[in-house]
């Protein structure tokens, strides 16, 4: 991962929404992290789940902190993650070729699906990103077969840039810009 740039990390305080807290990972999140990355349902559109025994050995007791990684907390328990990473400038699909745009990612435990938590968490994270990296567009890629993710992208205000084939599936690539929301 390329660093996000001139971003104060971690944010001075966790991000709070009506129901959720976006915060840095903590040791108490380890079991949920393992469940998230080894879940067959979660892995459906991201290349499949990780092997549980191998992943348990690989995940440290103390979480690694990195700029752009938010744990999504509901009532004191981790239900998912929201991430911001820099897209590899060599990737063939960009809004501005040869650059490293900020890319939004998210994963939620299946029991958190269907309650609007992903929309709430991602909207709050995008607001944070707009303040931390003013004027920078945020990109998102998802498989077109992932109907939930496609609906979330639309709800968050991402607009389609293009579709392309990768990882044996059609991918949707979109962009969100805080400037376009105020127009």
């Amino acid at each position: 991962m390329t660093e996000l740039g001139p971003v104060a990390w971690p944010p001075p305080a966790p991000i709070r929404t009506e129901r959720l807290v976006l915060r840095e990972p903590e040791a108490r999140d380890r079991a949920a992290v393992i469940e998230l990355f080894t879940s067959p349902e979660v892995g459906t559109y991201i290349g499949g789940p990780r092997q549980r025994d191998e992943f348990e050995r690989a995940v440290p007791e103390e979480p690694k902190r990195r700029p752009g990684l938010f744990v999504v907390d509901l009532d004191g328990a981790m239900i998912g993650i929201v991430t911001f990473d820099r897209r590899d400038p060599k990737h063939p699909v960009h809004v501005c070729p040869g650059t490293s745009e900020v890319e939004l990612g998210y994963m939620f435990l299946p029991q958190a699906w269907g309650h609007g938590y992903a929309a709430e968490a991602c909207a709050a994270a995008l607001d944070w990103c707009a303040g931390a990296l003013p004027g920078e567009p945020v990109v998102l890629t998802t498989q077109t077969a992932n109907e939930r993710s496609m609906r979330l992208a639309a709800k968050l205000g991402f607009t389609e840039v293009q579709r392309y084939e990768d990882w044996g599936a059609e991918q949707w690539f979109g962009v969100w810009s805080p400037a376009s929301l105020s127009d």
Side-chain angles (χ1 to χ4, degrees), residues 7-43:
V7 175
W9 193 265
I15 299 168
R16 296 184 184 282
T17 69
E18 184 178 331
R19 304 177 292 174
L20 307 170
V21 176
L22 279 66
R23 59 172 173 77
E24 281 201 290
E26 300 173 357
R28 65 185 167 119
D29 302 321
R30 187 174 188 276
V33 167
I34 292 168
E35 183 60 33
L36 186 66
F37 282 89
T38 62
S39 165
E41 296 89 356
V42 174

Side-chain angles (χ1 to χ4, degrees), residues 99-161:
T99 64
S100 58
E101 295 115 347
V102 177
E103 185 166 18
L104 173 69
Y106 45 85
M107 295 170 56
F108 285 80
L109 292 166
Q111 60 266 33
W113 297 357
H115 302 284
Y117 299 135
E120 187 174 330
C122 288
L126 285 165
D127 285 346
W128 169 83
C129 188
L133 297 166
E136 283 207 42
V138 178
V139 298
L140 169 72
T141 301
T142 188
Q143 283 189 22
T144 56
N146 187 343
E147 294 175 8
R148 287 178 182 267
S149 191
M150 293 289 293
R151 284 193 303 270
L152 178 58
K155 186 174 190 171
L156 292 170
F158 281 85
T159 56
E160 184 174 332
V161 174

Side-chain angles (χ1 to χ4, degrees), residues 1-5 65-69 83-88 103:
M1 181 205 83
T2 305
E3 293 295 324
L4 284 176
R65 292 180 165 86
R66 69 167 179 80
L69 170 65
T83 61
F84 290 104
D85 292 298
R86 288 283 178 183
R87 191 171 185 86
D88 185 342
E103 185 166 18

